[in-house]
Amino acid sequence: MMKKAYKFILIIFFILILSVSLFWLFRGKPMPTESLVEGRVLGLPENSYPTLKIALEYIQQGRFDLALDLVFDLYTSGSLQNKFDSAIADQFPLRMPLIRFSKAIDRVIIQLSYSFTDDNIFPADMTSDIYIIPDLQALIYPPKTIEEEDYASIDNRIANYSDLVSLFPNQNFYIYYLEILEFSPINPLLRFFPKADMGQAYSYLEAHLPEEINTGIFELNEMNDHLEYFFRTDHHWNTIGILKGYRSIYGLLSNNYANIPPILEPTSMVPFPGIEFKGTLARKTLYPIQGDDFIGFEADFPECIIKDNGVPIKLDFREEYLRGDYSTTPFLGHYGLYFGTQEGIINYDCAVNSDRNILIIGDSHARPLVALIATQYKQTYFMDLRQDENFNLTDFLHEYQIEDILIVGGPNVVFLNDELWEISVN
C-alpha cells in the first residue's frame, strides 16, 4: 500500500510539472510582467537565461570552449537555477488565487487561535509582521525596539550633522521629523514590546544636535492622530497629514526667512469617488479590509518649470485626478501617481516673489511637500538619497546657490540609517 501511495504521489507531481509547461505553451498570450497587487515587476523565464543565448551563439560560431565555460560557470554558481526558479514561481498558473487562498487559511488559523483571548488586535497574516485592528479597519506595524547598535547609528548621524553646520556656516539647516506609529509612545501594541522605542531615539538625537540646527516634529499624541493623518492601509501620510506637515514646516522656515511669501492654502478639498486606496500594508497581507478614501486638493499654485536630472518633466498626474481622469483599479499606486515619482534630483523653478533657494533631502514622505514648499522659493531642489548614493553636498553647494537645507522624513531618514542617509561632504 505504501509503494502504491508513493507511486500515486509521483504521478500527480509529474502531471503538475507537465501541466505548467503545457500552460505556458498553449496560453496564447504574453506572460504578465507586473503585479499590481504586490506592487512589483514579475520575473520572466526567458529573461533568466540570456547567458545561455550567448553560449548558443558561440556554438554557432564554432567556439565550443567559450560556450562550455559559460554554461559551466552558470551551473556551478547557481545563478541560472535561482533566477529561473524565481521566474517560474512568478509565472506559476493560478499563482494569485493560490496566494489569496493561502492568506485566507492564515486568517482562519489566526482567528481561531485568538478566539481564546480578549485581544482586539492580532496578526493580519503569518509572514508580514503587520497587525489588524478590526474595529478601526486599520493595518499597523508593531513598535520598533531600540538597541545599543541603534544608538551607535544615531551618534554617527549627530557627528554628520555637526560636520554640516561646521563646514557650511552660511546655510540654514532644518530637520523635520515625521513621527510614525512604530516609533511612537501611542502605539496600541506597546505592552507586548518592553524594549519599544516610544520616542526615545528622537529625544536622544534632539538633545545632542548642534544648536545651529532648527528642528520640528510631526507628533502623534493619540491613536486618532494616526488614523486622521495616515492611511489605514499604507505606510504614508495622507493629504490631511501632508498639509498639516507643510504648515508646520512653513512656520519652521519662517524663523530664518524674513518676508517669506504667503503660505499656500487649499481652495478646496477634492474627494475622488470610486477609489478605494489599498496601499503597501494591504498588498503585503491581502487582508480583506475596506480601502482608504483618497483625497486631493485644489490651490493657486504658481507657474513652475519642473526638471528631473535637468530634463523638463511632468512630475505627477494631479491635474488629471482633479479632472476626474483616474483609474479605480484595485491596488493601484495612487500615492505615487498623484504626488509624483522621480529618477534623480528634482528642481522646481517657480514664478514667486523670492530670490531664495532651498534643498530638501528626504524620501517618499517628503515628495508631496516639495510642490508646496516650492511656492516660497525661486529654486527648490529635492534629493532622495536612495536614488543617488554618491550625492555630495560640498559639490552641490559649489554648483548651486542654496540658503536653506531641509531634511525631512521618518526615523531612517532623520537619525537611524547612517549607511544610506548620512550626507556626504567629502
Side-chain angles (χ1 to χ4, degrees):
M1 286 293 295
M2 188 64 70
K3 288 184 178 179
K4 288 184 178 180
Y6 284 144
K7 185 177 181 180
F8 177 75
I9 292 172
L10 282 174
I11 290 172
I12 295 297
F13 175 76
F14 283 112
I15 289 175
L16 180 61
I17 296 298
L18 180 61
S19 68
V20 172
S21 302
L22 292 173
F23 174 79
W24 287 335
L25 185 61
F26 294 109
R27 64 181 291 164
K29 59 180 180 179
M31 297 179 186
T33 58
E34 186 177 2
S35 171
L36 278 180
V37 175
E38 299 164 284
R40 69 181 184 90
V41 176
L42 299 176
L44 295 174
E46 60 266 30
N47 291 342
S48 302
Y49 45 81
T51 309
L52 283 182
K53 293 180 180 179
I54 297 174
L56 288 174
E57 291 175 2
Y58 282 149
I59 292 173
Q60 291 172 355
Q61 298 167 11
R63 304 165 73 180
F64 298 103
D65 55 336
L66 294 177
L68 285 173
D69 287 343
L70 276 178
V71 173
F72 182 77
D73 289 343
L74 271 177
Y75 278 95
T76 54
S77 68
S79 62
L80 173 64
Q81 297 92 315
N82 292 334
K83 289 180 181 178
F84 193 74
D85 287 349
S86 177
I88 294 297
D90 280 356
Q91 299 296 337
F92 197 84
L94 304 177
R95 175 175 166 275
M96 280 313 303
L98 289 172
I99 291 175
R100 290 181 182 276
F101 177 74
S102 173
K103 293 289 189 181
I105 295 297
D106 279 4
R107 292 193 295 272
V108 170
I109 295 172
I110 291 168
Q111 289 172 5
L112 179 62
S113 301
Y114 276 76
S115 65
F116 300 101
T117 74
D118 58 357
D119 292 334
N120 59 357
I121 305 175
F122 45 84
D125 66 1
M126 292 188 179
T127 58
S128 65
D129 197 30
I130 295 172
Y131 288 75
I132 176 69
I133 310 178
D135 293 345
L136 301 176
Q137 281 290 284
L139 293 162
I140 66 169
Y141 284 112
K144 292 290 187 181
T145 58
I146 189 76
E147 307 289 348
E148 287 300 319
E149 54 266 28
D150 295 321
Y151 282 106
S153 295
I154 299 170
D155 286 337
N156 288 339
R157 298 298 300 277
I158 293 169
N160 182 225
Y161 290 136
S162 298
D163 288 343
L164 296 179
V165 298
S166 175
L167 290 170
F168 310 110
N170 296 324
Q171 277 73 36
N172 300 303
F173 284 90
Y174 304 86
I175 293 176
Y176 190 76
Y177 174 55
L178 178 63
E179 183 177 74
I180 56 177
L181 196 59
E182 301 97 282
F183 286 81
S184 171
I186 59 97
N187 192 300
L189 291 170
L190 282 177
R191 61 193 176 104
F192 301 110
F193 295 83
K195 291 186 177 180
D197 173 78
M198 296 190 298
Q200 298 174 74
Y202 177 71
S203 295
Y204 178 86
L205 172 83
E206 195 174 33
H208 294 85
L209 278 175
E211 62 180 12
E212 294 90 345
I213 293 184
N214 305 274
T215 62
I217 180 173
F218 187 97
E219 194 170 12
L220 300 177
N221 296 307
E222 57 183 5
M223 187 62 188
N224 283 337
D225 288 343
H226 172 77
L227 297 173
E228 181 178 1
Y229 301 128
F230 289 80
F231 292 110
R232 294 173 298 102
T233 67
D234 192 64
H235 61 290
H236 289 108
W237 49 358
N238 58 29
T239 301
I240 304 300
I242 291 163
L243 290 171
K244 177 180 171 63
Y246 164 62
R247 295 183 186 107
S248 179
I249 290 171
Y250 180 90
L252 186 65
L253 297 172
S254 300
N255 293 331
N256 295 308
Y257 186 173
N259 302 316
I260 185 172
I263 192 169
L264 181 77
E265 289 289 356
T267 55
S268 64
M269 304 301 292
V270 183
F272 299 120
I275 292 180
E276 277 196 62
F277 177 57
K278 294 187 178 182
T280 303
L281 282 72
R283 285 201 298 261
K284 285 184 176 180
T285 61
L286 292 181
Y287 198 90
I289 189 173
Q290 178 184 346
D292 283 289
D293 293 333
F294 196 79
I295 299 173
F297 65 94
E298 290 185 321
D300 296 326
F301 283 93
E303 290 292 327
C304 296
I305 298 172
I306 307 172
K307 296 180 180 179
D308 187 341
N309 275 342
V311 179
I313 62 162
K314 177 178 171 54
L315 180 66
D316 55 51
F317 294 92
R318 186 179 61 206
E319 294 178 0
E320 286 82 352
Y321 273 73
L322 294 174
R323 290 199 307 263
D325 182 13
Y326 52 82
S327 172
T328 58
T329 302
F331 296 101
L332 194 63
H334 294 288
Y335 185 90
L337 291 171
Y338 186 80
F339 293 114
T341 56
Q342 69 196 86
E343 295 182 1
I345 189 162
I346 292 292
N347 168 223
Y348 276 73
D349 183 351
C350 295
V352 298
N353 185 24
S354 173
D355 58 0
R356 197 175 178 111
N357 305 323
I358 187 172
L359 169 64
I360 303 171
I361 296 175
D363 59 5
S364 56
H365 288 99
R367 192 176 298 114
L369 295 168
V370 179
L372 298 165
I373 296 171
T375 63
Q376 275 72 59
Y377 289 87
K378 172 58 179 171
Q379 300 283 344
T380 300
Y381 300 91
F382 173 56
M383 184 72 243
D384 185 331
L385 296 184
R386 296 173 301 178
Q387 294 165 334
D388 184 1
E389 296 182 21
N390 297 317
F391 175 81
N392 184 284
L393 184 59
T394 303
D395 294 342
F396 186 85
L397 293 180
H398 281 161
E399 186 172 355
Y400 301 101
Q401 177 186 333
I402 299 292
E403 285 77 26
D404 298 327
I405 298 173
L406 169 67
I407 298 141
V408 55
N412 282 331
V413 173
V414 170
F415 56 78
L416 267 189
N417 193 332
D418 55 328
E419 291 186 3
L420 176 58
W421 289 102
E422 185 172 299
I423 300 170
S424 177
V425 293
N426 298 320

